[in-house]
Amino acid sequence: MLTDYHVHLRPDDLEATAAIHFTTANAERYQEVAAERGIGALGVSEHVHRFHQALDVWRHPFWVENALDDLDAYCAFVREETTLALGIEVDFVPGREDRLANLLEGRDWDYVIGSIHFLRDAAVDMDGDFDVWRSADPDRVWSRYFGWLGEAARSGLFDVLAHPDLVKVWGAERPRPSGDLRRFYDRAMDGIADSDVAIEVSTAGLRKPVGEIYPAPAFLEMCLEAGCPVALSSDAHVPDELGYGYDQAVELLDSIGVSEIATFDRRARRLEPLG
Ligand SMILES: [Zn+2]
Ligand SMILES: [Zn+2]
């Protein structure tokens, strides 16, 4: 089994509207490419910040600008007009756990993917006004990032932790801590070990300046020791990115002894043989 659950039906720009992309023809394009590439379980997970309901959770200016679509219309589209699994990618906002739970509750997800893009108002992966790297010290950013990742796991809100070491996204283009990075990973591990969350192995990092799979092998090994299952995804934003770099991901997983990956149905997880 190969899966691709962390998938977007459209690019991240505002011109990529729901009217253009939430269509059966677009869903079929994704399904055709997935079938060609041997992906047996395909789901979509739009960014929460593109739905106006997200503003009940957080009113970051980037969210206010992006929150144009209706979450229930998205859910209805995926359920009624496609055979895709229904997911969502949700930012963990510390202190807003109740509001996040309210947003997720009562909707018929197959899975919920938790992400950390923002540390307070600044983002680890965005150029421009909200770029955390304009001023911050890398050790502090990495410490906070992995501390929050552990809290996200412990919150119990999520079935999967997305791109777990996204903080490395820029590679050498931004400051980066030196030495053994496990001192940062450690900050997430208690929360992860106490949770039942799956760890995403994401090939999206191969398409980013860092040029590496998320997470680093050392982080993944620590999660495996903590008993976490693995979820495999590409974070595709166009059909051609489905299954991107999966040869490398499968090789990595084989090399560290992972033989099963997670599948999801109505928030119930099952492990299937990898490959
Ligand atoms: Zn993300
Ligand atoms: Zn994503």
Side-chain angles (χ1 to χ4, degrees):
M1 168 71 84
L2 294 174
T3 62
D4 212 341
Y5 283 120
H6 186 158
V7 169
H8 301 271
L9 284 163
R10 53 184 171 173
D12 284 337
D13 55 282
L14 286 172
E15 288 77 59
T17 61
I20 297 171
H21 294 273
F22 295 177
T23 65
T24 47
N26 192 38
E28 280 163 14
R29 278 194 284 277
Y30 279 75
Q31 277 155 336
E32 280 163 23
V33 174
E36 281 164 20
R37 297 182 184 174
I39 294 161
L42 179 66
V44 289
S45 56
E46 289 300 295
H47 284 291
V48 74
H49 66 243
R50 302 205 61 170
F51 301 102
H52 63 78
Q53 287 89 342
L55 300 180
D56 296 338
V57 176
W58 198 34
R59 297 188 62 87
H60 187 283
F62 178 77
W63 286 30
V64 171
E65 189 190 345
N66 275 268
L68 302 175
D69 301 329
D70 181 68
L71 189 56
D72 294 305
Y74 162 65
C75 294
F77 161 68
V78 174
R79 277 284 177 240
E80 291 161 25
E81 296 179 49
T82 80
T83 56
L84 298 163
L86 174 60
I88 185 164
E89 178 177 10
V90 179
D91 288 72
F92 177 63
V93 186
R96 303 288 168 92
E97 289 85 348
D98 289 350
R99 298 184 196 199
L100 287 166
N102 285 341
L103 180 136
L104 294 170
E105 213 166 73
R107 294 188 171 96
D108 185 27
W109 312 111
D110 286 310
Y111 55 91
V112 175
I113 298 178
S115 294
I116 295 175
H117 305 100
F118 289 92
L119 298 174
R120 305 217 175 107
D121 287 339
V124 298
D125 63 341
M126 284 170 69
D127 260 331
D129 291 349
F130 305 122
D131 184 351
V132 73
W133 303 108
R134 292 192 309 171
S135 58
D137 151 44
D139 281 56
R140 288 188 57 186
V141 172
W142 280 57
S143 289
R144 179 167 296 160
Y145 178 88
F146 284 101
W148 284 24
L149 189 69
E151 282 183 53
R154 199 189 292 279
S155 74
L157 291 163
F158 309 116
D159 301 298
V160 181
L161 283 186
H163 39 59
D165 59 351
L166 178 70
V167 70
K168 73 181 179 186
V169 57
W170 294 106
E173 294 181 13
R174 297 286 192 285
R176 197 178 162 145
S178 52
D180 188 340
L181 298 172
R182 282 178 289 196
R183 68 187 190 278
F184 300 105
Y185 307 158
D186 258 333
R187 298 176 60 85
M189 283 305 149
D190 282 349
I192 288 174
D194 289 346
S195 76
D196 184 38
V197 80
I199 298 302
E200 182 178 86
V201 168
S202 169
T203 55
L206 295 170
R207 307 192 299 268
K208 295 293 162 65
V210 70
E212 293 173 13
I213 286 173
Y214 305 116
F219 181 94
L220 187 55
E221 281 172 353
M222 290 166 77
C223 294
L224 296 175
E225 275 166 34
C228 296
V230 167
L232 174 64
S233 285
S234 68
D235 207 347
H237 286 66
V238 293
D240 193 44
E241 289 172 352
L242 290 168
Y244 182 89
Y246 271 20
D247 290 354
Q248 287 179 65
V250 170
E251 198 180 299
L252 167 69
L253 291 168
D254 277 344
S255 75
I256 57 176
V258 175
S259 58
E260 294 181 312
I261 51 170
T263 63
F264 298 92
D265 181 9
R266 259 72 176 189
R267 304 205 74 178
R269 184 178 70 218
R270 228 178 54 200
L271 294 176
E272 296 280 350
L274 166 68

